[in-house]
Amino acid sequence: MKAFFKEDILSDNELLGQFQQGSTVAFEALYSRYFPRLYQHAFKMLKDQDEAQDLIQELFTSFWIKGRELDLTTSVSSYLYAATRNRVLNLFEHNRVHDHYVSSLGEFLSTVEMSVDEVVIEKELAEIIESEIKQMPSKMREIFELSRKEDLSHKEIADYLAISDKTVKKQISNALKILRMKISYSLVFAQACIEFIN
């Protein structure tokens, strides 16, 4: 039989109030109440168990840090669901921008008419990305290159390397995280250089 705690019968707002007054137990009660629901909500959108779990864990980490200062104009439930959706959308956007840039860079170089200086900048960006890939741990690099250069599916990579789909997804996710910051900086730098040239 499940143990009964008084926090189980408190409302979300009551738990939030106690948490904001310093109650760790109240935070744990909100965590237990909402983690499974928010995880399912994120998983329906991401279709990836690890990403969904990491995302909700990060959400509650942020809630632990910032929650004591929150002055909600909506319910705790609405706030947490909205925060989950926003984090999922941000993740989609980051991955979409990154994947589009990596996959289209070669095509961009071959089809767009550019000045000599612009071509040099684009080649430098490509070299930066390749350098970052080469510095990845060997297994991560192998999986990432099979995915992005050989265009193999997660299952094909898993079968080829005799590892699980889950491992493939996690390694690609980690590789994207490593590249994301470098690419974001490089894109901003390149745009600034092109504007200066023009």
Side-chain angles (χ1 to χ4, degrees):
M1 179 180 294
K2 180 184 176 182
F4 177 79
F5 299 97
K6 68 180 180 66
E7 286 78 14
D8 293 337
I9 62 172
L10 294 178
S11 70
D12 293 345
N13 286 339
E14 288 172 326
L15 287 173
L16 177 63
Q18 290 189 10
F19 165 54
Q20 291 181 328
Q21 292 173 13
S23 172
T24 301
V25 174
F27 173 83
E28 291 172 351
L30 285 171
Y31 180 95
S32 298
R33 183 175 295 181
Y34 279 101
F35 190 98
R37 305 181 200 178
L38 296 175
Y39 165 78
Q40 289 298 330
H41 188 58
F43 177 69
K44 286 178 181 178
M45 292 183 280
L46 294 171
K47 308 299 182 185
D48 185 293
Q49 294 180 347
D50 290 335
E51 281 194 344
Q53 185 166 337
D54 288 347
L55 186 144
I56 301 305
Q57 190 64 56
E58 290 171 3
L59 169 62
F60 273 102
T61 299
S62 176
F63 187 60
W64 169 261
I65 295 170
K66 301 177 181 178
R68 290 186 173 87
E69 308 300 323
L70 285 177
D71 183 16
L72 296 185
T73 57
T74 183
S75 67
V76 174
S77 173
S78 295
Y79 169 79
L80 291 173
Y81 275 100
T84 299
R85 287 193 296 273
N86 289 338
R87 283 175 177 266
V88 169
L89 291 174
N90 287 338
L91 184 61
F92 280 153
E93 180 63 18
H94 282 307
N95 287 341
R96 184 190 66 78
V97 170
H98 173 271
D99 289 349
H100 173 74
Y101 181 74
V102 171
S103 64
S104 65
L105 182 58
E107 180 181 350
F108 180 76
L109 287 172
S110 64
T111 60
V112 178
E113 183 178 353
M114 297 182 292
S115 69
V116 174
D117 288 334
E118 288 173 319
V119 171
V120 170
I121 290 171
E122 292 299 329
K123 285 184 177 179
E124 287 177 351
L125 286 175
E127 289 171 1
I128 288 170
I129 293 169
E130 285 302 317
S131 175
E132 290 298 314
I133 292 173
K134 287 178 182 178
Q135 292 178 46
M136 292 177 182
S138 59
K139 181 60 69 176
M140 181 188 296
R141 182 176 68 250
E142 182 179 20
I143 291 172
F144 187 78
E145 289 183 335
L146 286 171
S147 172
R148 293 306 187 267
K149 295 184 178 180
E150 302 299 327
D151 200 27
L152 298 183
S153 68
H154 289 177
K155 187 178 187 312
E156 288 171 332
I157 296 171
D159 291 342
Y160 178 72
L161 297 178
I163 57 179
S164 69
D165 288 6
K166 187 175 181 180
T167 298
V168 172
K169 290 179 182 179
K170 192 65 176 176
Q171 290 283 18
I172 291 175
S173 174
N174 289 341
L176 290 172
K177 288 177 183 177
I178 289 172
L179 287 175
R180 189 171 295 136
M181 185 65 71
K182 178 64 70 174
I183 290 174
S184 297
Y185 171 79
S186 299
L187 285 170
V188 171
F189 176 76
Q191 184 61 39
C193 289
I194 290 171
E195 289 177 358
F196 176 77
I197 291 168
N198 293 335

